[in-house]
Amino acid sequence: MSKAKVAVLISGRGSNMAALLYAAKAGTCPYEIVLVAANDPDAAGLTLAAAEGIATFGQSHKGIKRAEFDAIIDAQLRKAGAQFVALAGYMRLLSPEFVGKWAGRMLNIHPSLLPKYKGLDTHQRAMDAGDSHAGCSVHVVTAELDDGPVLGQTPVAILPGDTIDTLAARILIAEHQLYSRTLADFVMRERTPDYLLDRVRALALALPQVDEVTSHGMPCFGIEKGKKFAYFTQDHHGDGVLAIIVKTSAPEEQAMLIENDPDLFYRPAYFGTAGWVGIRLDGDEVDWDHIAERLARSWRTVAPRKLTGLMDAADAF
Ligand code: GAR
């Protein structure tokens, strides 16, 4: 499986970017850095990234409206083929449009134990409060500043005699460890069987009168007390494949799909000649709209007329 493509946004030094970049050099790292972009063409991190052979983009945001500047950055991310964005000391508030476009695909590292001390001066605020520990957090970026689900945290003890600089330097060590590990887990998350089954289950159970049973050891979806229209298969009989198996309209459609895209579709063993087709979920990226459509079509092949008639009426609106 190919590595997830990550773009990193920085504003200055870029030491977290460097940590991500060097972690990515390990063969086992599930992500690669495809772009480092900055809102300052003189950001030191850009020089380092370029020297390491990574594509860079630097442009000042000054004089450009926030949403327009974010659109420029977004265009660069798309051009680089980025699938995920890692903010690493990117000191710009993001427009809601940009956050929306990268919803669930953008992480940030923040030097505090969130939800404590959002915003600036985090180290000073932790010391002023007399906290025993400061630390760092990696979280999913949402519209609110330094908000969004926390994916990982490292507490860092505050020592007697610490200054902002000594504490910040120690937290930075923790940041460098935490970010690459958390990012690696995050890009892998959507490839795990549990995640894939959850997504399939949500789509299948959203169709009318569907229930889930286990059949031949596989999670299986059917019309309540009726026929089955989808199976979730994970390494069945040791075939190493993660896929859903759904019904096509006829064996001819099954054959056509497999011929047109043999990497995505396959003919499942033990499913006879009734036109069942396997759709792999273990490729680089799953097209969930396509999976939803295939599940709905498969559902239609087994649903009683009374139900498909209701769906037709709803679709006509
Ligand atoms: C890091 O400490 C990071 O946590 C912080 O900026 C620093 C960037 O350093 N980010 C924030 O405060 C975001 N709210 P770096 O450029 O060397 O990675």
Side-chain angles (χ1 to χ4, degrees):
M1 194 181 283
S2 66
K3 295 186 177 226
K5 294 178 169 34
V6 175
V8 187
L9 301 187
I10 63 170
S11 291
R13 179 177 58 180
S15 73
N16 275 290
M17 176 277 296
L20 296 179
L21 189 161
Y22 291 124
K25 293 199 182 238
T28 52
C29 185
Y31 68 82
E32 61 178 328
I33 307 294
V34 293
L35 175 74
V36 175
N39 62 323
D40 172 1
D42 298 324
L46 289 179
T47 313
L48 170 73
E52 292 292 354
I54 309 287
T56 61
F57 175 80
Q59 183 173 330
S60 171
H61 59 270
K62 287 184 187 140
I64 308 177
K65 285 199 184 108
R66 190 177 302 284
E68 280 170 29
F69 183 76
D70 285 356
I72 293 171
I73 297 289
D74 183 64
Q76 294 295 323
L77 299 176
R78 310 269 166 199
K79 203 172 100 188
Q83 298 165 302
F84 297 90
V85 178
L87 305 181
Y90 190 61
M91 303 311 251
R92 284 282 296 161
L93 291 176
L94 298 168
S95 59
E97 293 87 349
F98 186 84
V99 174
K101 279 184 191 153
W102 291 94
R105 320 218 134 251
M106 180 157 58
L107 303 189
N108 180 43
I109 185 147
H110 183 72
S112 80
L113 295 174
L114 291 172
K116 276 185 162 179
Y117 316 131
K118 298 175 180 176
L120 300 173
D121 302 322
T122 54
H123 309 106
Q124 181 73 61
R125 286 152 72 198
M127 290 203 294
D128 288 350
D131 293 350
S132 67
H133 287 74
C136 52
S137 309
V138 172
H139 66 96
V140 181
V141 176
T142 55
E144 293 293 314
L145 178 70
D146 300 328
D147 210 57
V150 172
L151 300 172
Q153 287 188 316
T154 308
V156 173
I158 299 179
L159 302 181
D162 253 342
T163 63
I164 294 177
D165 287 347
T166 57
L167 178 60
R170 229 167 35 258
I171 291 176
L172 200 60
I173 298 170
E175 290 186 36
H176 295 166
Q177 302 291 322
L178 178 71
Y179 209 176
S180 55
R181 185 160 29 91
T182 310
L183 177 62
D185 287 349
F186 189 70
V187 303
M188 286 304 283
R189 192 188 60 137
E190 295 189 5
R191 298 177 176 193
T192 61
D194 283 353
Y195 175 89
L196 294 167
L197 175 57
D198 278 353
R199 288 287 296 255
V200 168
R201 178 179 284 134
L203 292 172
L205 294 180
L207 293 162
Q209 292 189 22
V210 171
D211 66 2
E212 179 177 348
V213 292
T214 302
S215 175
H216 300 284
M218 292 181 271
C220 169
F221 303 92
I223 311 276
E224 280 162 26
K225 300 193 188 74
K227 290 186 179 158
K228 302 181 175 60
F229 66 92
Y231 293 80
F232 180 87
T233 166
Q234 180 192 343
D235 199 23
H236 203 55
H237 295 289
D239 63 2
V241 170
L242 260 171
I244 56 164
I245 297 168
V246 290
K247 271 198 152 181
T248 57
S249 56
E252 292 73 28
E253 189 191 2
Q254 178 215 48
M256 189 195 72
L257 291 171
I258 296 170
E259 192 182 316
N260 287 346
D261 195 346
D263 290 336
L264 184 63
F265 296 102
Y266 70 99
R267 190 194 165 113
Y270 315 108
F271 273 78
T273 54
W276 290 93
V277 73
I279 310 176
R280 296 190 70 134
L281 300 172
D282 48 10
D284 282 348
E285 216 163 345
V286 178
D287 179 346
W288 287 107
D289 290 340
H290 174 237
I291 297 294
E293 188 194 316
R294 281 279 152 206
L295 284 167
R297 283 204 210 184
S298 185
W299 175 89
R300 272 180 182 281
T301 66
V302 302
R305 216 165 250 174
K306 189 173 67 171
L307 276 182
T308 54
L310 284 176
M311 283 286 269
D312 291 341
D315 287 350
F317 269 95

XYZ file of all heavy atoms in Angstrom, residues 81-150:
526
model
N -0.969 16.936 -4.366
C -1.627 15.642 -4.130
C -1.771 15.298 -2.658
O -1.893 14.119 -2.289
N -1.761 16.331 -1.787
C -1.849 16.072 -0.344
C -3.194 15.446 0.019
O -4.235 15.846 -0.508
C -1.656 17.369 0.433
N -3.147 14.461 0.899
C -4.372 13.844 1.438
C -4.625 14.323 2.867
O -5.748 14.253 3.353
C -4.229 12.328 1.432
C -4.041 11.742 0.053
C -3.547 10.311 0.109
O -2.495 10.036 0.675
N -4.299 9.405 -0.468
N -3.559 14.750 3.530
C -3.652 15.236 4.913
C -2.805 16.503 5.041
O -1.857 16.688 4.276
C -3.116 14.187 5.906
C -3.898 12.906 5.920
C -3.556 11.849 5.080
C -4.989 12.745 6.767
C -4.282 10.669 5.079
C -5.719 11.569 6.781
C -5.364 10.530 5.931
N -3.173 17.327 6.028
C -2.401 18.540 6.304
C -1.967 18.509 7.768
O -2.784 18.217 8.653
C -3.244 19.809 6.053
C -2.444 21.062 6.402
C -3.701 19.864 4.599
N -0.690 18.794 7.994
C -0.190 18.902 9.367
C 0.241 20.347 9.595
O 1.143 20.848 8.913
C 0.988 17.947 9.570
N -0.434 21.024 10.536
C -0.017 22.373 10.912
C 1.110 22.221 11.929
O 0.959 21.510 12.924
C -1.181 23.148 11.530
C -2.467 23.251 10.698
C -3.515 24.069 11.461
C -2.197 23.884 9.339
N 2.220 22.876 11.660
C 3.378 22.741 12.557
C 3.936 24.132 12.818
O 4.791 24.620 12.084
C 4.434 21.828 11.923
N 3.377 24.784 13.843
C 3.783 26.162 14.111
C 3.281 27.096 13.028
O 3.953 28.078 12.692
N 2.113 26.805 12.480
C 1.514 27.680 11.460
C 0.694 28.726 12.193
O -0.382 28.415 12.719
C 0.641 26.852 10.519
C 0.165 27.608 9.298
C 1.074 28.121 8.380
C -1.194 27.782 9.044
C 0.651 28.796 7.241
C -1.634 28.458 7.914
C -0.697 28.965 7.022
O -1.132 29.620 5.889
N 1.222 29.938 12.281
C 0.625 30.935 13.171
C -0.355 31.837 12.419
O -0.269 33.063 12.491
C 1.734 31.751 13.851
C 2.725 30.897 14.628
S 1.942 29.706 15.722
C 2.316 30.423 17.307
N -1.245 31.226 11.699
C -2.288 31.961 10.986
C -3.632 31.370 11.360
O -3.790 30.139 11.370
C -2.147 31.780 9.466
C -1.064 32.560 8.808
C -1.424 33.995 8.597
N -2.540 34.211 7.691
C -3.230 35.333 7.653
N -2.933 36.310 8.480
N -4.224 35.490 6.802
N -4.596 32.245 11.648
C -5.957 31.738 11.823
C -6.446 31.296 10.454
O -6.156 31.937 9.446
C -6.864 32.850 12.359
C -6.585 33.302 13.793
C -7.495 34.465 14.164
C -6.780 32.140 14.759
N -7.185 30.203 10.423
C -7.639 29.666 9.133
C -9.089 30.063 8.875
O -9.900 30.139 9.808
C -7.525 28.137 9.147
C -6.099 27.607 9.319
C -6.121 26.114 9.616
C -5.265 27.895 8.079
N -9.408 30.288 7.609
C -10.794 30.631 7.250
C -11.667 29.380 7.408
O -11.186 28.247 7.234
C -10.854 31.124 5.809
O -10.379 30.118 4.941
N -12.965 29.591 7.719
C -13.858 28.427 7.848
C -13.915 27.607 6.560
O -14.048 26.380 6.609
C -15.233 29.045 8.136
C -14.993 30.467 8.489
C -13.640 30.862 7.989
N -13.779 28.268 5.420
C -13.817 27.539 4.130
C -12.672 26.527 4.071
O -12.858 25.365 3.689
C -13.667 28.504 2.937
C -14.814 29.449 2.741
C -14.656 30.722 3.580
O -13.775 30.778 4.464
O -15.460 31.653 3.361
N -11.495 26.997 4.441
C -10.315 26.130 4.377
C -10.457 24.968 5.361
O -10.213 23.810 5.019
C -9.062 26.955 4.691
C -7.776 26.198 4.528
C -7.171 26.076 3.283
C -7.155 25.608 5.618
C -5.989 25.374 3.121
C -5.960 24.904 5.477
C -5.386 24.794 4.218
N -10.881 25.296 6.581
C -11.052 24.240 7.597
C -12.084 23.216 7.106
O -11.893 22.010 7.245
C -11.492 24.841 8.951
C -11.819 23.742 9.954
C -10.390 25.743 9.512
N -13.157 23.717 6.495
C -14.197 22.819 5.978
C -13.663 21.882 4.913
O -13.984 20.694 4.896
N -12.825 22.430 4.031
C -12.288 21.595 2.937
C -11.401 20.468 3.461
O -11.292 19.415 2.831
C -11.459 22.457 1.992
C -12.293 23.221 1.000
C -11.373 23.960 0.048
C -12.161 24.937 -0.787
N -11.362 26.060 -1.233
N -10.750 20.702 4.576
C -9.827 19.690 5.109
C -10.366 19.051 6.399
O -9.602 18.461 7.174
C -8.438 20.324 5.332
C -7.816 20.641 4.006
C -7.865 21.836 3.339
C -7.120 19.736 3.140
N -7.236 21.723 2.121
C -6.765 20.452 1.978
C -6.760 18.386 3.233
C -6.069 19.858 0.915
C -6.067 17.796 2.180
C -5.733 18.534 1.046
N -11.674 19.136 6.580
C -12.287 18.593 7.802
C -11.914 17.119 7.983
O -12.041 16.311 7.056
C -13.804 18.745 7.724
N -11.443 16.799 9.171
C -11.081 15.412 9.476
C -9.780 14.957 8.834
O -9.399 13.781 8.927
N -9.078 15.897 8.176
C -7.821 15.528 7.490
C -6.687 16.465 7.870
O -5.627 16.441 7.249
C -7.980 15.602 5.960
C -9.254 15.110 5.450
C -9.102 14.357 4.146
N -9.864 13.137 4.230
C -9.342 11.930 4.331
N -8.051 11.753 4.319
N -10.096 10.876 4.422
N -6.935 17.318 8.849
C -5.920 18.315 9.207
C -5.652 18.254 10.713
O -6.574 18.319 11.524
C -6.416 19.704 8.800
C -5.449 20.817 9.111
S -5.708 22.285 8.074
C -7.401 22.689 8.424
N -4.372 18.138 11.069
C -3.965 18.076 12.478
C -3.147 19.315 12.838
O -2.561 19.957 11.974
C -3.111 16.832 12.745
C -3.701 15.471 12.412
C -2.793 14.366 12.951
C -5.090 15.338 12.971
N -3.085 19.597 14.136
C -2.257 20.697 14.632
C -1.541 20.234 15.888
O -2.053 19.386 16.626
C -3.159 21.895 14.976
C -2.355 23.073 15.503
O -1.291 23.405 14.957
N -2.854 23.715 16.552
N -0.351 20.798 16.104
C 0.317 20.558 17.383
C 0.308 21.855 18.172
O 0.542 22.935 17.620
C 1.753 20.010 17.211
C 2.337 19.656 18.591
C 2.674 20.971 16.460
C 3.285 18.491 18.576
N -0.006 21.721 19.460
C -0.140 22.910 20.303
C 0.636 22.670 21.606
O 0.526 21.603 22.207
C -1.626 23.152 20.609
C -1.854 24.388 21.412
N -1.713 25.656 20.883
C -2.202 24.557 22.709
C -1.962 26.550 21.826
N -2.262 25.913 22.942
N 1.404 23.695 22.049
C 2.261 23.476 23.221
C 1.545 23.661 24.560
O 1.934 24.503 25.381
C 3.369 24.508 23.024
C 2.723 25.617 22.277
C 1.645 24.999 21.416
N 0.497 22.904 24.786
C -0.135 22.870 26.118
C -0.906 21.560 26.223
O -1.114 20.865 25.210
C -1.111 24.032 26.320
O -2.349 23.766 25.699
N -1.336 21.261 27.425
C -2.185 20.087 27.608
C -3.632 20.555 27.413
O -4.311 20.928 28.360
C -1.979 19.488 29.006
C -0.579 18.920 29.273
C -0.437 18.493 30.741
C -0.275 17.736 28.361
N -4.070 20.560 26.174
C -5.438 21.005 25.873
C -6.435 20.172 26.664
O -6.171 19.003 26.939
C -5.704 20.866 24.356
C -4.927 21.845 23.469
C -5.107 21.491 21.993
C -5.362 23.286 23.728
N -7.554 20.725 27.115
C -8.100 22.024 26.723
C -7.511 23.221 27.473
O -8.003 24.325 27.313
C -9.589 21.871 27.043
C -9.611 20.928 28.211
C -8.478 19.971 27.976
N -6.465 22.989 28.271
C -5.852 24.131 28.959
C -5.063 24.991 27.972
O -4.401 24.444 27.084
C -4.877 23.621 30.023
C -5.523 23.258 31.350
C -4.443 22.890 32.349
C -4.968 22.952 33.766
N -3.914 22.574 34.724
N -5.094 26.274 28.177
C -4.210 27.239 27.523
C -4.238 27.174 25.999
O -3.242 26.860 25.345
C -2.767 27.078 28.033
C -2.697 26.924 29.528
C -1.955 25.901 30.124
C -3.419 27.780 30.361
C -1.915 25.741 31.497
C -3.387 27.634 31.743
C -2.644 26.604 32.297
O -2.624 26.445 33.654
N -5.383 27.437 25.438
C -5.462 27.641 23.994
C -4.815 28.976 23.673
O -4.674 29.824 24.553
C -6.921 27.637 23.551
C -7.603 26.306 23.826
C -9.071 26.321 23.506
C -9.650 24.946 23.815
N -11.077 24.853 23.637
N -4.430 29.174 22.431
C -3.868 30.474 22.035
C -2.385 30.596 22.348
O -1.652 29.599 22.298
N -1.973 31.807 22.741
C -0.534 32.106 22.888
C -0.074 32.025 24.343
O -0.875 31.821 25.253
C -0.246 33.501 22.320
C -0.579 33.673 20.824
C -0.423 35.136 20.403
C 0.292 32.768 19.959
N 1.225 32.183 24.547
C 1.857 32.258 25.883
C 1.519 31.053 26.759
O 1.288 31.182 27.972
C 1.417 33.551 26.615
C 1.764 34.795 25.812
O 2.847 34.796 25.184
O 0.955 35.731 25.795
N 1.485 29.917 26.164
C 1.038 28.716 26.879
C 1.976 28.335 28.025
O 1.533 27.950 29.102
C 0.938 27.531 25.901
O 2.201 27.402 25.246
C -0.156 27.741 24.877
N 3.296 28.475 27.779
C 4.261 28.058 28.812
C 4.175 28.976 30.034
O 4.170 28.514 31.177
C 5.683 28.061 28.253
C 5.800 27.295 26.967
N 5.951 27.906 25.747
C 5.743 25.972 26.716
C 6.001 26.993 24.800
N 5.875 25.805 25.361
N 4.090 30.284 29.722
C 3.988 31.268 30.814
C 2.729 30.999 31.639
O 2.763 31.012 32.880
C 3.926 32.681 30.198
C 3.845 33.786 31.233
C 5.183 33.983 31.940
O 6.183 34.306 31.296
N 5.205 33.772 33.253
N 1.634 30.731 30.962
C 0.366 30.542 31.668
C 0.406 29.277 32.536
O -0.140 29.264 33.654
C -0.794 30.506 30.673
C -1.105 31.895 30.126
C -1.709 31.864 28.741
N -3.061 31.395 28.709
C -3.669 30.951 27.589
N -3.006 30.888 26.446
N -4.905 30.563 27.627
N 1.073 28.237 32.061
C 1.177 27.006 32.856
C 2.023 27.261 34.103
O 1.696 26.801 35.199
C 1.781 25.888 32.008
N 3.110 28.039 33.937
C 3.975 28.325 35.095
C 3.265 29.247 36.082
O 3.311 29.023 37.294
C 5.307 28.935 34.620
C 6.163 27.923 33.890
S 7.923 28.308 33.866
C 7.962 29.755 32.904
N 2.601 30.275 35.546
C 1.878 31.221 36.414
C 0.801 30.512 37.237
O 0.522 30.893 38.378
C 1.203 32.322 35.572
C 2.221 33.288 34.991
O 3.404 33.205 35.393
O 1.844 34.101 34.129
N 0.206 29.493 36.637
C -0.879 28.778 37.338
C -0.332 27.816 38.380
O -1.084 27.210 39.140
C -1.730 28.021 36.317
N 0.992 27.640 38.407
C 1.596 26.711 39.360
C 1.366 25.257 38.990
O 1.399 24.366 39.855
N 1.140 24.989 37.724
C 0.904 23.598 37.285
C 2.156 22.754 37.521
O 3.284 23.251 37.389
C 0.565 23.549 35.783
C -0.779 24.203 35.482
O -1.510 24.515 36.441
O -1.075 24.400 34.291
N 1.966 21.491 37.859
C 3.134 20.610 38.014
C 3.679 20.209 36.646
O 4.858 19.938 36.477
C 2.746 19.352 38.797
O 1.857 18.556 38.034
N 2.783 20.162 35.652
C 3.174 19.741 34.305
C 2.615 20.699 33.260
O 1.467 21.138 33.370
C 2.652 18.341 33.995
C 3.383 17.260 34.731
N 3.206 17.024 36.084
C 4.312 16.367 34.312
C 3.988 16.019 36.457
N 4.671 15.609 35.401
N 3.433 20.970 32.281
C 2.928 21.576 31.045
C 2.913 20.426 30.018
O 2.808 19.268 30.421
C 3.842 22.702 30.606
N 3.029 20.737 28.740
C 3.052 19.633 27.786
C 2.608 20.055 26.402
O 2.578 21.253 26.084
N 2.264 19.068 25.604
C 1.849 19.363 24.228
C 0.728 18.402 23.818
O 0.563 17.331 24.401
C 3.027 19.248 23.277
S 3.937 17.702 23.392
N -0.034 18.857 22.827
C -1.184 18.073 22.349
C -1.212 18.102 20.826
O -0.886 19.121 20.211
C -2.506 18.690 22.827
O -2.500 18.931 24.212
N -1.642 17.014 20.245
C -1.954 16.988 18.813
C -3.453 16.780 18.703
O -4.017 15.907 19.366
C -1.190 15.861 18.082
C -1.683 15.726 16.632
C 0.307 16.135 18.108
N -4.083 17.637 17.891
C -5.542 17.549 17.786
C -5.993 17.732 16.345
O -5.249 18.267 15.503
C -6.205 18.599 18.691
C -5.940 20.019 18.276
N -6.808 20.743 17.509
C -4.883 20.840 18.506
C -6.314 21.948 17.294
N -5.139 22.032 17.890
N -7.200 17.283 16.083
C -7.818 17.493 14.782
C -8.258 18.956 14.727
O -8.780 19.487 15.710
C -9.041 16.559 14.599
C -9.683 16.763 13.234
C -8.639 15.102 14.793
N -8.032 19.596 13.583
C -8.373 21.022 13.480
C -9.851 21.186 13.143
O -10.362 20.578 12.194
C -7.508 21.711 12.405
C -7.930 23.168 12.225
C -6.036 21.629 12.791
N -10.514 22.010 13.963
C -11.897 22.390 13.689
C -11.956 23.917 13.619
O -10.926 24.579 13.777
C -12.842 21.869 14.788
O -12.367 22.343 16.054
C -12.909 20.351 14.815
N -13.146 24.456 13.423
C -13.261 25.900 13.178
C -12.768 26.733 14.368
O -12.232 27.824 14.194
C -14.700 26.241 12.846
N -12.914 26.229 15.595
C -12.462 26.971 16.781
C -10.957 26.816 16.967
O -10.417 25.719 16.780
C -13.150 26.414 18.039
C -14.635 26.647 18.103
C -14.979 28.115 18.253
O -14.347 28.791 19.096
O -15.856 28.584 17.499
N -10.298 27.877 17.390
C -8.842 27.853 17.583
C -8.425 26.827 18.645
O -8.973 26.819 19.753
C -8.362 29.256 17.996
C -6.858 29.386 18.279
C -6.072 29.265 16.985
C -6.561 30.696 18.988
N -7.434 25.992 18.305
C -6.859 25.005 19.233
C -7.935 24.149 19.904
O -7.802 23.748 21.070
C -5.993 25.699 20.299
C -4.834 26.463 19.679
O -4.348 26.005 18.625
O -4.444 27.504 20.218
N -8.982 23.898 19.151
C -10.078 23.072 19.649
C -10.037 21.757 18.857
O -9.039 21.430 18.255
C -11.398 23.834 19.412
C -12.446 23.508 20.450
O -12.166 23.693 21.643
O -13.528 23.063 20.065
N -11.102 21.009 18.872
C -11.121 19.778 18.065
C -10.573 18.613 18.846
O -9.754 18.786 19.761
N -11.011 17.409 18.496
C -10.648 16.205 19.256
C -9.137 16.043 19.428
O -8.391 16.140 18.464
C -11.197 15.073 18.397
C -12.236 15.700 17.528
C -11.856 17.130 17.339
N -8.738 15.805 20.682
C -7.314 15.592 20.986
C -6.963 14.132 20.680
O -7.624 13.209 21.139
C -7.021 15.929 22.469
C -5.604 15.516 22.843
C -7.214 17.420 22.714
